[in-house]
Each structure stands twice: as structure tokens, then as C-alpha cells.
Amino acid sequence: MTTLLSVEGVSKAFPGVKALDNVYLELRKGEVHVLLGENGAGKSTLMKILSGVYQADSGAIVYKGKPVQFKTATEALRAGIGIIYQELNLVPHLTVAQNIFIGKEPVKMGFTIDAARMNRDAVEILKRLNADIKPTALVKNIAVSKQQMVEVAKALSYNSDVLIMDEPTSALTEAEIEELFKVIKSLRAQGVGIIYISHRLEEIREIADRVTIFRDGQYVSTDDYGDLTLDEIVKRMVGREMAHKFPPKKHIPTDEVILEVRDVQRRGETEKASFTLHAGEILGVAGLMGAGRTELARAIFGADPKAGGEIFVNGARVTVDSPLDAIQAGIGYLSEDRKAYGLALNMRITDNITMAYLDEVSTRSGRILKHLEKGVSRRFVKSLDIKTPSISQVVKNLSGGNQQKVVIAKWLFRNARVLIFDEPTRGVDVGAKYAIYELMDGLAASGAGIIMISSELPEILGMSDRIMVMSQGRVAAIMNIEGATQEKILHHAAGLL
Amino acid sequence: MANEPLPAGTAMDDESARLLNADLLQKFAALAGLVALLVVFSLIARNFFTVDNLINICRQTTTIALAGIGVTFVIITGGIDLSIGSVLAMSGVVAGMLVKDWEWNVYVAFFAGALSGVFVGFLNGAMVNFLRLPPFIATLGMMMIARGLALLVTNARSIPGLPESFGDIGNGALGTTYRLNARGVEVIGFPGIPHAVILMAVLAVVFYYILSSTKLGRYIYAVGSNEEATRLSGINVVKVKFFAYMICGGFAALSGIVTMSRLVTVQPTAGVAFEMDAIASTVIGGTSLMGGVGGISGTIIGAFIIGVLRNGLNMFGVQGFVQQIIIGAVIILAVSVDQFRNRKK
Ligand SMILES: Nc1ncnc2c1ncn2[C@@H]1O[C@H](COP(=O)(O)OP(=O)(O)OP(=O)(O)O)[C@@H](O)[C@H]1O
Ligand SMILES: [Mg+2]
């Protein structure tokens, strides 16, 4: 097979961080090349160099036999390198079709946009993805998973020779992932070279041809996927043996009801939901994307107005009309969308960690005790292994997974006794996943109650004591972990039971 | 910073990390610009770098700096306040009328004038928080309302004949020394530090501290950086914004009191478009109109850049209109330098 693109000894440094240190990558025509590595390994940085967003400090990129150095993303796109970034890059106020064809709108009479043709072409591309999305819908009004599909459609519309996908599935449903994989396979058959980045190691089995692994900005290895075991991959990623995916359970659920939710409803989004959560328990919440899990969680947390219902914490009724009420009652909520709802991106790690609990590090009069604050941040940066040159780093500059850890640190510091984790391991590498699981286990062991919303069934099955399945806005089932299976959960989730 | 990049994950101590802070770089650039201006003017104008003139510059800069401090709070939350110039006039009118028509004590009247600004800020905050108006619109409306009120109650006429003590803040100075000249007449030696400048300096320090070291300050940045994430962290975003607009209104009013006190006359037409000076000083000092980034020290530097430019250009007899052109160019230059640096990173 012919080499399409090769990365030869590329290095890139940011202030205080050597993001890439002499790395290699060879992409052939018609292959799916999976790039793996822990959070902060430099995967996204390399992709941004390939697509012209950043320039390499040293090293060479050879594309179709010629050395290239793209100065802008447009240049790379024109040359045939398409990319789906880790973060969504859509214009919320434009329609789906307008987003797909942004920058290359079909025109008639030389200057007016041919909207009809654009919508037709958009339908065409979306059909290839089997995505049920109206081309005239505004992007801000469609679900995150649909937005992700629009990103994919946008990249496809360029008919690129190289397609880079940086964690494209982190917000997709199982069904959508299936569709995406079909598309990937057909592109591969057409000779497109695909670089695929993901932290979901199970899913790559279906598409991976070869695997390259980075660790801490350095090149580790490239192999045929068939020559590697999952354990071997993990070992190379984290640099040590990892025998188990889930930590041994230390926590034991108690009889003490720490949270009771009675008939809480979010008008138009969910039906009335009632459930209990015990101290020392992890309640897994499964369901398909759009089942109303996040909506219910946000209503409980007071982030959105409730249509009714009551909430009891430790047996006492609490009024939760705002996040502040919830936090004061001891409830914390870790959003699934960290950029929009979890982080102040322009602020430092320290500021973000202490944001929800500045009282703890300030005097009565409101003066922040900076040495205390720093101590707290250092503690969490260390215990969660957040990779950063300093606690004063601006959160924007952290890799995706490390940003997630900062949000977790915020709620850990807040000492919430009822914690709602909404997709806590999305975009988090295996090693860090394990650390987060350990953290959740430890929190439960110390008497906290945890609600874990997750779209990854292995995670639900591996961590929960009980499982609540939601389907189309209602609680479809609550079951004990004993006897719960993937099939059972999926059945309930699909509304078949 | 060392040129040699550190290996991934190497701990760098906090101080050097902070030096990388774009905020500081921006401040450094602005400060360098200010120093350059001082040097250039001193070299070409003999009577520029004199004690008298430097004190003069401080006095002239005070009103911009005061309003700039206030609007910095609002801008960091991601908002804007266009009502500053009108509040400046309105607060002066309030103080002047209380003194003249109601024979209030001058200082009590000043205090009431300042409170009137805080109250306007409260209204601005209410519109932004509860009516969910974009700050631009809310304060644009308030700009017209406050100006209209000031003109209405005064019949658009100035209020002269105020007691001498009305001019204390604007004209008084601390530490004035006198000496006898050659003919044995007592003349002023050191002109003293103007009261207004002392007021501004003290408030600058206090509010610098509030913004950089208190919970309120932190929340101001947080709201500007990501309002929703801030709300979900249990912070009362409504309250934070109220504070920002009230602080801004209060400072605009103080700026008005200083202005009117200097004239010992209340001018209901004073301060038209003055908010633009305040916003300019903030922006030159590196505060981002997008919110979340900036600070008081930058604003003070920005205010002085404007003050020094005006003073220096005046000294050369540069026409007012030409001054405007130059200051406009400086604003554009300052912010483009900032943008350029951000892009290069
Ligand atoms: N603009 C930037 N400024 C400073 N540091 C940066 C910047 N972008 C990335 N980094 C740093 O470079 C390193 C590599 O980041 P990168 O985003 O490439 O990681 P990644 O492998 O994609 O991780 P993840 O799986 O978490 O997305 C990280 O330590 C990150 O903090
Ligand atoms: Mg990444």
C-alpha cells in the first residue's frame, strides 16, 4: 500500500510543555490508523499540526510524496486533509446545511447562495450517514450527538483524501456509532486514509487496521491491530501494567437513604421520576442519548426549573430552586459538557478548582487566602494526576481529559455528599478512568451517594450497585446489579420492556 | 522564560508560570508605551516634565481613571456600561441641587450624589438580570434617561454660585508649600497632591485588592469567563452582576463629583461621550470586551496613557480634533498589539 502522509520527527512545545517530542506517524491509503495515548499525550496537537492550526517547531510532514507545511486550516482542507476536531466547531445560529457547506456554499448566478441545492446536497451527505437530521434545523436546536454527526458530514463534504477524526464518538449513541463505522469502512474502501483517535478502546476493534501509540508527547510504537492485545495497548499507553479495568469495590451501600427524589419532573423533557439513593451507593443511570437523564439530573440540581416534585436529603425536605440551593444541601453536579457548563476556560486551574467553595479558602470578610488555595490545587493536581506545568495554567490550554479532571476536582473539593456524575469518563484515558473509578469508589466508601449517568454499559455494570434505566423521559426500570446484564439494560432503554 | 522548553509534565514553579500570563505581558506592553510617551514628550517639550505639569496630568487623568476602574468591573463580567457620561452629569446635578436648593452640607451632598450613581447602577443591573436585556441596550437606554433627567431638572442650565467648599475635592491639594519669591511675595512652592488624585489612588488600591484578592473579584472574572458554569458552581450570578453595575455607577458618579467640584459649577451637559474615554482606558489596559480577562492596574495605565497624550498634545498646541484622531489610533494600536500577540502564541 502506498504511503499517503507521514510525520517524521515532529516536535512542538508550548510554554512550559513539550507537547510533542520527535514523533512519527505513517498513514497509508485506504487504512484506518488509530492513534492512542493518555490525556495530554499530544494526539490533538499533532492533528492540529497536520491540519494547519499549529505549526511544528521541527520535523517534517510529507504528504503525497512532497514535504508540506500548512499555514492555515483552509490550506490543509484544500489539499485534501479534512479534520473533525475534538471540540465541536459549529456555528450555533446557522442551519445544519449552512454549517456543512460553510466556506464552500454552492452559488447560482455567480453570487447568490443556492440554498435549495445546498439543502439537497446536505440531505445526500446525511443520508450516507443514515442520520435523521433536517438540513434546515438550526444547529443550536439539535442534540449534541446530532451535532457531532453534522461535524462528520461537514468533513465528508470535502471529499478529502485524509480524514482525521479526534474522538468523534465521545458524544454519539451506540446506533450512531454503528452508522459512523459503516461510513468509515466505506471511505476506507474508497482509498481514504483515516486517522482515528479515541479513548474507547473496545470500539476500535471494529475498524482499526494499524495502531500508533504516543505517551507523554513521545512516540512509542506502530503495529498492525491484529498483533496487539488490549492489555498490551493499555500497557504501552500508560507505561505500566494495568490488570483490571475497574478497581476492587471498597464501598458498601448502607440502608441510610441520603437522597430521595419524589415525582420530580422537567416539563416537556421528562415524566415524573422517583427514586432513592443510599449513602455509600453508586446508582448507575443508563439510557440512550435523549432519554432525559441529563434533564432529570439538571432538574434535581436546580439548574433548570422543575415542574413539580420534592427532594429529600438525609430525610429532610429541601427546596432546590437554584444550583446554590442544591450545593448547600450537599448535592454536586458534574456536567457532561465541561466546556459549556463545567469550566471557566480563561481562568487558571486553581480558580476552577476552588470556584464552588471559595468560602473554604477565604476569610469571613471575603479575602481569598491564596496560600491555602494553592495548597488545595496542588493537592488535587497531584491526587488526580492532572498533567500541567503549573497550577496557574489556564484551563483552556489543558488537554481534554485533564480538563475533565479539573471539574471533578471542583466537586471533590466542595465535599458534596450527593454527587451526580454525568458521563464522568467521557474523553478520559484508561489510566485516568481507573483513577476516576477509584475516586468514585472511595467517595462512596466514605459515605457519599453517587449518581453516575453513563452511556458506556461496561462502566455502568462495572461500577454500579443499582442501575436505573431511563427511556424516553421516564424511569423504565430500577434493578440491582446482581442479575443485570447488558441485554436487559438495552431492552429497557429501548422501551421494549 | 528560558528558551529551552521543559519536558512534558515538568513542574514549573508558580512565579515563572505567572510571568507567562498574557495579562501581565499586556500590562507590561502598556506600561512600556506609557513610559515611552513620557520620555518622548519630555525630550521635545521643555516644560513637560516638571512637577507642576506632572501633577496637572494626574489631576486631568483622575476622572477617566475613576470611571475606568468602575467600568473595568462591568467589562470583566462581559458587560458594558454606556451610561457613565450621563451618570457623571446626573450625580453632579444631584449634589449641586442638594447644596444650593436644600442647603445640605457639601460632603453629605457629595455622598448623596455618589449614591445616586450606585442607584443607577442598580437599575442597570436589574435590567440586565431580570429583563435579560443585553447590557449594551440597557445602558444605552439609561444613558439617555439619566442625561434627560439631569437636563430636565436643571432646565439645561448650569448651577453656579456654589459655596467654596464645593470645590475642595476638585481643587484642593495636600502638602502645598509656599515660599517667598525675590520680591518677598509669598508664592506656591510645591503645589501639593490634589485631593482628587489622592481619592483616586486610594480607591484604585482598594478596588484592585477587591478584584484580585476577594471572592467578589473572583466571581466577577468567573461570570465573564463562563456565566453558566459559574451559576452551576452555586454562585449567585445575579448578585455578582448587580455588584459590578453598582460599582460602575458609583465610580461614574464620583467622577462627576470631581469634575463639577473642579469647576465649582454644576454642568448638566458635562461628560457627553465620557464613557468612551473610560472604556478606552480599560481596553488599552488589556481588559477584554469579551469578558473574563483584565484588571485595575491595566486600566490605570490606560487612563494615564490617554491623560499624558492629551496633556502633551495640548502643550504642542495640537488641535483638539487632531488629538481625537491620535487617541483613536492609539486605542486601535494598543488592542491590535494585544491581538497579534495572542495569535502568535
Ligand atoms: N494551546 C496550548 N497552550 C499550552 N499548552 C497546550 C496547548 N495545547 C495543548 N497543550 C498541552 O500540550 C499537551 C498535549 O495536549 P493534547 O491536547 O495534544 O493532548 P491529547 O493527547 O489530545 O489529550 P486528550 O486525550 O486529553 O485530548 C498537554 O499537556 C496540553 O496541556
Ligand atoms: Mg485531544
Side-chain angles (χ1 to χ4, degrees):
Chain A
M1 271 197 269
T2 48
T3 298
L4 197 54
L5 176 76
S6 66
V7 172
E8 290 164 10
V10 162
S11 299
K12 172 81 186 171
F14 295 108
V17 190
K18 185 121 200 190
L20 290 172
D21 185 6
N22 193 24
V23 297
Y24 292 83
L25 181 73
E26 186 222 6
L27 178 69
R28 297 173 185 158
K29 234 170 118 57
E31 76 161 341
V32 176
H33 198 124
V34 174
L35 179 58
L36 298 174
E38 288 186 289
N39 297 132
K43 306 179 296 291
S44 299
T45 303
L46 180 59
M47 297 309 115
K48 286 181 183 163
I49 290 173
L50 290 181
S51 62
V53 176
Y54 295 150
Q55 272 74 48
D57 295 342
S58 62
I61 295 161
V62 181
Y63 176 54
K64 291 181 175 168
K66 281 197 284 287
V68 289
Q69 197 181 18
F70 300 120
K71 296 210 174 46
T72 63
T74 331
E75 222 176 276
L77 262 177
R78 294 240 165 86
I81 299 182
I83 179 164
I84 300 168
Y85 294 104
Q86 188 168 2
E87 298 83 26
L88 290 173
N89 273 291
L90 300 172
V91 186
H93 298 285
L94 295 183
T95 68
V96 169
Q98 283 165 344
N99 267 287
I100 293 176
F101 290 102
I102 198 158
K104 54 180 172 14
E105 293 82 357
V107 289
K108 56 182 178 195
M109 295 185 313
F111 60 97
T112 59
I113 291 179
D114 188 346
R117 184 164 144 221
M118 197 163 77
N119 288 335
R120 262 200 322 276
D121 292 355
V123 169
E124 202 58 41
I125 297 174
L126 291 167
K127 218 187 269 162
R128 269 168 78 192
L129 286 168
N130 250 329
D132 174 27
I133 307 171
K134 271 229 287 292
T136 50
L138 289 185
V139 160
K140 64 172 180 172
N141 293 336
I142 63 177
V144 178
S145 65
K146 297 251 160 88
Q147 295 181 0
Q148 184 69 266
M149 287 310 253
V150 173
E151 279 280 11
V152 176
K154 184 169 143 192
L156 285 182
S157 70
Y158 280 95
N159 294 319
S160 319
D161 299 314
V162 172
L163 189 57
I164 297 167
M165 299 185 164
D166 196 349
E167 298 194 38
T169 55
S170 62
L172 294 189
T173 65
E174 297 291 328
E176 285 165 329
I177 293 175
E178 274 314 303
E179 292 305 331
L180 179 65
F181 282 1
K182 275 189 209 153
V183 173
I184 290 178
K185 285 174 191 164
S186 95
L187 289 172
R188 168 169 64 189
Q190 293 161 30
V192 177
I194 295 163
I195 301 176
Y196 188 94
I197 297 174
S198 178
H199 285 296
R200 294 178 158 188
L201 299 181
E202 293 84 11
E203 75 179 21
I204 64 172
R205 179 177 1 159
E206 224 191 293
I207 46 167
D209 294 314
R210 290 196 299 158
V211 176
T212 290
I213 297 173
F214 286 180
R215 184 169 67 234
D216 286 343
Q218 292 183 329
Y219 172 84
V220 177
S221 64
T222 301
D223 299 271
D224 285 339
Y225 181 69
D227 297 346
L228 289 170
T229 62
L230 211 52
D231 286 345
E232 184 58 32
I233 291 178
V234 171
K235 190 176 142 194
R236 289 189 194 170
M237 278 173 67
V238 300
R240 65 189 145 83
E241 210 78 57
M242 278 206 32
H244 302 286
K245 273 186 65 186
F246 298 101
K249 245 183 213 183
K250 282 202 303 287
H251 71 276
I252 306 160
T254 63
D255 290 337
E256 185 192 335
V257 174
I258 196 168
L259 174 78
E260 182 176 357
V261 172
R262 236 183 251 168
D263 294 334
V264 167
Q265 186 186 13
R266 180 98 168 78
R267 180 155 295 135
E269 309 270 2
T270 72
E271 292 174 24
K272 284 181 180 162
S274 301
F275 65 91
T276 57
L277 176 72
H278 296 251
E281 181 186 44
I282 298 180
L283 174 69
V285 182
L288 302 177
M289 207 88 37
R293 295 171 300 171
T294 296
E295 288 73 13
L296 179 63
R298 283 178 60 98
I300 294 170
F301 185 62
D304 295 319
K306 286 181 262 304
E310 295 174 305
I311 291 170
F312 299 83
V313 175
N314 289 322
R317 184 159 185 267
V318 289
T319 315
V320 177
D321 289 329
S322 69
L324 183 57
D325 292 344
I327 289 167
Q328 276 168 351
I331 306 173
Y333 171 66
L334 203 113
S335 165
E336 59 176 338
D337 186 345
R338 58 178 171 259
K339 293 227 162 135
Y341 305 122
L343 291 167
L345 287 172
N346 283 332
M347 298 179 80
R348 302 168 304 171
I349 292 176
T350 313
D351 305 326
N352 276 280
I353 291 179
T354 56
M355 190 192 284
Y357 207 15
L358 269 184
D359 290 342
E360 189 68 11
V361 289
S362 47
T363 62
R364 269 253 188 93
S365 60
R367 179 165 60 92
I368 298 172
L369 299 166
K370 293 197 171 147
H371 59 284
L372 281 188
E373 202 186 17
K374 277 187 195 160
V376 166
S377 314
R378 284 210 190 88
R379 201 174 83 219
F380 283 106
V381 164
K382 197 146 172 252
S383 66
L384 298 187
D385 194 24
I386 299 173
K387 293 214 179 74
T388 170
S390 116
I391 56 169
S392 304
Q393 177 73 296
V394 173
V395 170
K396 189 168 59 184
N397 293 339
L398 295 181
S399 79
N402 283 307
Q403 291 180 347
Q404 181 73 342
K405 291 183 189 175
V406 173
V407 190
I408 294 178
K410 172 164 79 178
W411 292 112
L412 290 182
F413 178 51
R414 189 61 180 82
N415 266 326
R417 301 311 288 159
V418 174
L419 277 158
I420 309 174
F421 284 86
D422 198 347
E423 306 284 3
T425 62
R426 174 176 291 172
V428 171
D429 70 58
V430 271
K433 259 185 198 162
Y434 192 87
I436 291 170
Y437 295 145
E438 261 184 331
L439 268 164
M440 287 202 274
D441 182 54
L443 281 167
S446 72
I450 294 176
I451 298 173
M452 182 187 73
I453 301 174
S454 172
S455 297
E456 291 192 51
L457 286 181
E459 180 169 285
I460 292 270
L461 289 166
M463 291 302 297
S464 315
D465 301 301
R466 279 187 306 145
I467 298 166
M468 176 162 106
V469 187
M470 289 190 68
S471 171
Q472 293 168 12
R474 73 194 162 82
V475 175
I478 296 181
M479 57 181 104
N480 278 324
I481 186 72
E482 297 85 21
T485 63
Q486 208 138 340
E487 289 71 37
K488 250 193 192 168
I489 295 174
L490 281 174
H491 257 80
H492 284 295
L496 297 175
L497 271 179
Chain B
M1 259 310 293
N3 292 322
E4 199 62 4
L6 297 155
T10 307
M12 196 168 44
D13 69 43
D14 286 348
E15 289 316 309
S16 47
R18 201 164 308 144
L19 280 177
L20 294 172
N21 211 319
D23 185 40
L24 218 98
L25 269 172
Q26 162 70 26
K27 250 178 256 164
F28 180 76
L31 191 60
L34 178 59
V35 171
L37 275 179
L38 287 171
V39 169
V40 170
F41 282 135
S42 310
L43 288 180
I44 39 189
R46 195 147 298 258
N47 41 6
F48 177 82
F49 206 81
T50 59
V51 172
D52 277 12
N53 191 47
L54 290 181
I55 285 177
N56 210 6
I57 289 174
C58 289
R59 201 202 307 272
Q60 289 162 350
T61 305
T62 296
T63 46
I64 299 178
L66 282 172
I69 293 170
V71 81
T72 301
F73 277 74
V74 166
I75 291 179
I76 292 176
T77 66
I80 193 84
D81 189 347
L82 300 180
S83 64
I84 291 172
S86 301
V87 170
L88 175 150
M90 191 202 70
S91 66
V93 168
V94 168
M97 288 182 69
L98 288 175
V99 170
K100 180 118 187 197
D101 300 347
W102 299 77
E103 292 176 1
W104 281 30
N105 169 293
V106 166
Y107 287 94
V108 179
F110 282 163
F111 188 70
L115 278 188
S116 74
V118 174
F119 179 67
V120 171
F122 174 81
L123 295 179
N124 283 335
M127 286 190 282
V128 170
N129 278 321
F130 301 131
L131 301 184
R132 308 222 160 241
L133 290 180
F136 190 98
I137 304 296
T139 59
L140 179 70
M142 188 52 78
M143 167 175 117
M144 298 178 180
I145 294 173
R147 174 71 61 187
L149 280 175
L151 293 171
L152 182 71
V153 296
T154 55
N155 260 324
R157 277 194 289 270
S158 54
I159 309 177
L162 293 161
E164 205 176 306
S165 57
F166 197 90
D168 265 1
I169 288 188
N171 300 313
L174 197 70
T176 311
T177 58
Y178 300 90
R179 61 182 166 81
L180 297 176
N181 71 1
R183 267 177 285 153
V185 183
E186 202 179 48
V187 295
I188 291 173
F190 176 66
I193 315 273
H195 290 156
V197 175
I198 296 171
L199 176 75
M200 184 270 283
V202 169
L203 289 176
V205 170
V206 169
F207 281 79
Y208 169 83
Y209 171 79
I210 289 178
L211 195 55
S212 65
S213 304
T214 69
K215 284 196 287 183
L216 174 63
R218 181 68 57 79
Y219 294 155
I220 299 251
Y221 283 101
V223 167
S225 186
N226 186 341
E227 184 171 337
E228 189 59 11
T230 307
R231 187 177 75 97
L232 292 178
S233 297
I235 291 145
N236 191 335
V237 170
V238 167
K239 208 158 96 183
V240 174
K241 287 205 226 169
F242 263 124
F243 267 120
Y245 284 94
M246 285 160 72
I247 288 170
C248 187
F251 270 102
L254 274 182
S255 179
I257 286 161
V258 169
T259 305
M260 312 290 181
S261 166
R262 175 128 184 83
L263 304 169
V264 205
T265 314
V266 167
Q267 295 276 10
T269 50
V272 172
F274 181 67
E275 52 277 349
M276 293 306 155
D277 278 359
I279 295 169
S281 69
T282 310
V283 172
I284 292 175
T287 297
S288 161
L289 285 179
M290 306 293 288
V293 177
I296 299 297
S297 50
T299 299
I300 300 294
I301 295 169
F304 271 95
I305 287 182
I306 295 177
V308 167
L309 260 178
R310 286 226 171 101
N311 177 283
L313 294 174
N314 266 333
M315 203 161 267
F316 288 121
V318 176
Q319 214 193 354
F321 305 135
V322 179
Q323 288 187 24
Q324 276 199 27
I325 294 171
I326 293 175
I327 291 174
V330 164
I331 294 171
I332 291 171
L333 185 77
V335 181
S336 359
V337 167
D338 195 24
Q339 292 292 344
F340 183 68
R341 197 183 3 252
N342 283 341
R343 201 155 344 123
K344 247 178 66 181
K345 279 202 308 171

